[in-house]
Amino acid sequence: MPGEPLPIDPDFDATDAGQKREISGTHGAVLAVIAAGGALGALSRYGLTLVWPAPAGGFPWAIFVINVVGSFLLGVLMVVITEIRPAHPLVRPFLGVGILGGFTTFSTYANDIRALLNPDTVVTAAAYLIGTLTAALTATACALILTRYAARSIRTETI
């Protein structure tokens, strides 16, 4: 009906008692695994930035690699748990949203670009801006293709 607000999640009917019970029973577990995974991912990222710090005004290689590798791993994960092998309902929030969400850091990427927007480092900022987006999207696409190919190859060998 025109003018009526759309539901927040079209797959969820808040008037259905069964669906309300289901979401209330898993909500806490989902938040817990996201928090635990996020802590692990963020600690991993922090450790890598300590080992590989960015020089002042230089290209932030650690954050670049973290975001590209994280994007690749997220692509692999999504194919594995949605197309190859069904996973426990908490796997995706724990690994995808939690660990890989905490590991990758597009907010630090944005802050790094802002910090590099000086006359003497503007070329580095532009290279980092374009390079990270291009590499992260390419890594995700490659992960999807390679994971699907590997899954087909494994299935073919077992037949």
Side-chain angles (χ1 to χ4, degrees):
M1 180 147 259
E4 282 187 37
L6 294 173
I8 293 172
D9 182 352
D11 297 329
F12 176 72
D13 181 5
T15 61
D16 183 323
Q19 287 187 23
K20 284 172 77 172
R21 262 191 317 279
E22 179 184 351
I23 196 76
S24 67
T26 59
H27 191 65
V30 170
L31 290 177
V33 298
I34 289 172
L40 292 172
L43 285 171
S44 299
R45 173 177 29 97
Y46 178 69
L48 284 171
T49 59
L50 288 178
V51 172
W52 195 3
F59 195 91
W61 284 105
I63 299 300
F64 174 84
V65 170
I66 285 166
N67 285 333
V68 173
V69 168
S71 295
F72 183 88
L73 293 174
L74 193 54
V76 170
L77 174 68
M78 289 302 107
V79 170
V80 169
I81 67 173
T82 61
E83 298 176 20
I84 298 172
R85 181 176 179 174
H88 187 280
L90 295 178
V91 168
R92 187 176 185 168
F94 177 68
L95 294 176
V97 180
I99 290 180
L100 293 173
F103 182 65
T104 57
T105 175
F106 286 90
S107 59
T108 299
Y109 158 74
N111 281 331
D112 287 344
I113 292 167
R114 184 189 48 75
L116 289 169
L117 288 176
N118 295 314
D120 55 335
T121 57
V122 73
V123 173
T124 303
Y128 183 50
L129 170 73
I130 295 165
T132 299
L133 288 176
T134 303
L137 289 171
T138 301
T140 304
C142 288
L144 298 174
I145 293 164
L146 292 172
T147 306
R148 288 176 179 142
Y149 177 78
R152 278 194 304 273
S153 297
I154 291 168
R155 280 189 219 121
T156 304
E157 289 176 9
T158 58
I159 295 177

